[in-house]
Amino acid sequence: MIDLDFTVNDIKDKHAYIARARAEAKLCYDTESTRRGRKWSELYQSYLQGHAAESYLIENFGFKCANKKYKDLINSDGEQVEVKTRTSVEALHSLRRILNKQKYTYRKIPDILYFWLVDYKDIQNPAYNFYAKYKWKDGRFVITSIDNL
């Protein structure tokens, strides 16, 4: 079984990873409402962080790109999923609360979320630690797994 914890060095196709992150960052940066005053460097770094987890899922678990604006991936069961990365547990919990509200109100967020904690002790090779899989159930996202997809 392939581990859900990884580092950036575990990504085999660095060119594809960087190209995907750059393309989505540019799309976000070129739109004032999604840029929200952020500088290119911080926006690009944020997309590099998130796309590492997406690239790892594509390379190792058969996920596919959703090919929709600001949508993440399609898992091996054909379900749309959202992949999120943060550098603290508090930030992940805060994000989950925000997504609960957005999903309840707009319903445009997939029913499945994958969260990773990112550790930058080695700035050149950040470590990604799988935190949890969430599913939408009874009006909120609930943890369904902490060790598998």
Side-chain angles (χ1 to χ4, degrees), residues 58-111:
I58 289 168
E59 289 181 355
N60 295 289
F61 295 96
F63 283 46
K64 305 286 184 217
C65 183
N67 290 321
K68 293 182 181 178
K69 189 176 180 180
Y70 303 121
K71 298 299 177 198
D72 291 346
L73 302 174
I74 307 292
N75 68 16
S76 56
D77 293 329
E79 302 163 309
Q80 189 171 317
V81 302
E82 189 79 10
V83 176
K84 296 296 181 187
T85 61
R86 292 295 183 271
T87 57
S88 74
V89 172
E90 295 80 16
L92 284 175
H93 287 290
S94 176
L95 177 61
R96 184 188 48 80
R97 286 190 297 273
I98 290 167
L99 292 171
N100 274 337
K101 290 177 186 174
Q102 290 176 345
K103 174 75 171 172
Y104 190 77
T105 305
Y106 306 113
R107 306 211 185 275
K108 293 180 182 178
I109 298 167
D111 289 342

